Every structure is written in C-alpha cells, then in structure tokens.
Amino acid sequence: MGTREQSSTRGRLGTADRYDAVVIGGGAAGLSGALTLARARRSVLVIDEGRPRNAPASGIHGYLGLDGTAPAELLAAGRREVTGYGGEIVDGTVVTARRLADDAGFRVELADGSSVTAARLLVTTGLTDELPEVPGLAGRWGREVLHCPYCHGWEVRDEPIGVLSSGPLGVHQALMWRQWSKDVTLFLHTGPEPDDEEYERLAAREISVVDGEVTGVEVTGDRLAGVRLADGRTLPCQAVVVAPRFTARAGFLTGLGLDVTEQEMSGHVVATHIAADPTGATGVPGVWVAGNVTNPTAQVNAAATGGTLAGAAINADLTAEEIRVAVAERRASGPARTTTDDRKAPR
C-alpha cells in the first residue's frame, strides 16, 4: 500500500473483491479518512458521487495554509495523495449498504447494479442545503447568497448585507454579520418577529428591520443587486444571508438500521445528522461517519480532521480484530506452550 504508485480506478468499480474499508463520499472528510487508511497500508476504496457541497464557492477559507484554494483544486490534490498511497477512487452513487451474514462485513450496492464488500464503512456523504423558497436564491448560492460568516464574511465586508429570516436564526445571523459590515438589514420574511430584547439589540447595533415577505432577488450584470418585497419595493443589497435546513445525505443507510437524528431550535428542525462519538463511530458496529453528515456546521478543515480521526479509529479497530483472530488461531493450533523464547521480544 505504501509504494506511492498511482492506483486510481475512476470510472470502474474497485479492483479488489473485498476491502478493509469502503469510504462513501469523496470530499475533504472522505479523502482524509482514505489517506489515513492508505498510509496505514489498508486496502481502501472511495466511492464518490461527484456532488461536493461547496462546488459553487470560488474558494475555501479559514483552512490554514490553503486559504482561498478552489474547492475542485483541493479535491484533485486529495485524490492524487490517496491514490499515490494505493487507495482507489471510483465514480458512483451508493443506493444501499447492508451487513453480511455472520458479521462478515458489509456489502455496498451502487446505482449501476454493481457492488463491493468491505470490513468497515466510513460514510462522508455530507449534507444537502435546503434553501428558503424564494425565486432566484438557488442560482446565487455560494456566490452572494451565503450562510457562514467565517466562510464568506471577509469577501463581502463593508457591502450592504441582507439577512433573510425564515426561522429562529434570523436575529442571531444579523447580529453576527454586523461584524463584517455596518450596513446590515434583517428581512423578517417568514421568520418570527423579534421580541423586545432582540429589537433592542438590533437597534443598538444599528441593524435595520424590514417587515414583509421577500419574493425574489434582483441581479445586475451577473451580480446580486437587491431583493424584491411582496409590497413591490426593491431594496439594495449585495449579499443575502440565509439559514438553510441542513439535511444529511444518508438515506442509503436505513438498511443498516442507522437513522438520522433531528436537531431542533425553537420548535424548528434546522438540521439532521448521523449521531456518532468523537472518533466518528456510530451506533452500528463497523460503521463510522465524518464531516457534515455528522456535524452540519463543520467547515472544510474540521471535516478533514474528522475524516482523519475516523480513519485512525477504523485502522485501530481492524488491528484489534486481527490480533484477536491471530491469538485464537495460535491457541487452536495446539496446546499452548510458553517458553523463555516465546516471551522474548524478536530481535
């Protein structure tokens, strides 16, 4: 595994009958997990659907040493590193994953009818951003329609920023984005009206509040210019902040009995995710998760770290199993004999 030979198999299923680990999802989390496993001399296959969440963004930000790197460039570099250590990568969409009889691992089935087996699974399929239903928002997503100030705040600093309230986060977002611009407007849209204390905070930070639903966006010269209100007004802004519902891409895991957990805020479901421990281990033995599928707010660097932790945990789990099997086989080979030579460390 550590020969540094290219071993990409994009466009066809993996070359092995069975892998130590199959990684479902080829983003930062999945590739980091695969890299860790490949460097541990594990056979690993990454199945990538090719729908990175951050594809519309011009660059990733806040990732030390890689700030501003184009998302596609980061993934291309990650793939080269994984395959350089013998890992394999294929294009495909996973439709089901199920446990084999007698705890013999897992079978992963793809949309094209092919399948592959693995001793362990690492799921890093990320999430889907469900935007408010306002015409024009989706077309500007990741460009001027934003949600994370740490990912995009610097790029729209000092510009007129509109915050579209569609749930319990509207006031919080407006107060946060005020750090990046003095010109922030909270559009109440379909969100709850602020209470007296929230109105006081907004006023203290000189954040304007506009009632009424937003019905669309104005674009001039391929650049967001404003938002349209139901009463016919158009108010200028060069960035619109939204609060998407974060929905885990995990439907294919139901066959394993691994369901999503809903995260609520003020009675609103704001996200779903797969629950896991700090290493990414789920409630189903042999299945790990990393990245946005388990942590909806993780930025790229945190997702990559989660993948690395999960990869190391999977390797440790495989190692522990291999030790148990080796001991059992040694005991089964004949009467146990302990000699002075047996107790000595090999030279």
Side-chain angles (χ1 to χ4, degrees):
M1 279 292 180
T3 62
R4 300 291 294 172
E5 294 178 357
Q6 192 75 359
S7 184
S8 176
T9 57
R10 299 189 66 81
R12 60 189 178 88
L13 199 57
T15 58
D17 294 328
R18 177 184 171 91
Y19 291 85
D20 291 327
V22 165
V23 179
I24 306 173
L31 292 174
S32 293
L35 179 62
T36 299
L37 286 161
R39 282 179 52 81
R41 307 187 74 179
R42 295 294 180 183
S43 59
V44 57
L45 173 70
V46 179
I47 303 174
D48 183 20
E49 191 175 35
R51 291 194 301 149
R53 180 189 177 202
N54 61 356
S58 61
I60 59 173
H61 296 288
Y63 200 149
L64 187 63
L66 295 173
D67 187 78
T69 302
E73 182 182 337
L74 177 69
L75 296 185
R79 292 185 184 114
R80 288 193 298 270
E81 291 172 357
V82 170
T83 58
Y85 284 103
E88 300 178 33
I89 302 172
V90 298
D91 296 310
T93 299
V94 173
V95 292
T96 60
R98 57 186 177 85
R99 187 181 293 280
L100 298 173
D102 300 323
D103 289 331
F106 302 90
R107 181 174 299 280
V108 176
E109 298 178 356
L110 282 67
D112 64 4
S114 60
S115 65
V116 65
T117 61
R120 303 292 186 271
L121 296 182
L122 173 56
V123 178
T124 61
T125 43
L127 57 81
T128 298
D129 297 285
E130 297 180 6
L131 304 182
E133 295 183 0
V134 174
L137 280 186
R140 314 306 300 181
W141 176 239
R143 300 173 66 184
E144 304 99 3
V145 176
L146 314 167
H147 79 287
C148 172
Y150 300 104
C151 301
H152 306 289
W154 176 264
E155 283 63 45
V156 297
R157 64 194 183 282
D158 299 327
E159 295 181 0
I161 297 173
V163 177
L164 186 67
S165 178
S166 57
L169 290 172
V171 171
H172 168 75
Q173 286 183 304
L175 292 168
M176 284 293 294
W177 281 83
R178 175 62 178 78
Q179 171 63 25
W180 282 266
S181 175
K182 294 181 180 179
D183 190 351
V184 175
T185 300
L186 174 62
F187 294 94
L188 293 183
H189 189 50
T190 60
E193 183 173 2
D195 59 29
D196 291 343
E197 184 177 352
E198 289 171 328
Y199 266 124
E200 182 180 28
R201 292 174 180 173
L202 293 165
R205 293 291 280 164
E206 299 180 328
I207 296 172
S208 302
V209 179
V210 176
D211 202 356
E213 289 194 23
V214 173
T215 58
V217 297
E218 293 286 342
V219 177
T220 301
D222 196 29
R223 186 74 168 83
L224 185 72
V227 298
R228 296 191 304 272
L229 297 173
D231 61 12
R233 288 181 295 164
T234 297
L235 298 182
C237 63
Q238 294 181 316
V240 172
V241 175
V242 298
R245 171 172 164 158
F246 302 137
T247 302
R249 295 175 180 169
F252 63 92
L253 294 175
T254 55
L256 293 173
L258 193 57
D259 298 320
V260 299
T261 299
E262 292 186 342
Q263 181 178 333
E264 292 190 4
M265 179 177 292
S266 301
H268 294 260
V269 176
V270 296
T272 63
H273 68 279
I274 300 294
D277 73 9
T279 71
T282 70
V284 175
V287 180
W288 275 257
V289 290
N292 288 142
V293 74
T294 185
N295 182 359
T297 62
Q299 294 176 252
V300 177
N301 49 355
T305 298
T308 299
L309 291 173
I314 290 171
N315 178 62
D317 191 52
L318 287 166
T319 299
E321 179 177 319
E322 289 161 353
I323 293 170
R324 288 194 299 270
V325 170
V327 169
E329 290 177 348
R330 183 177 187 276
R331 289 175 177 174
S333 65
R337 292 187 306 157
T338 302
T339 67
T340 301
D341 289 339
D342 288 334
R343 292 193 297 267
K344 288 182 179 179
R347 295 182 181 179

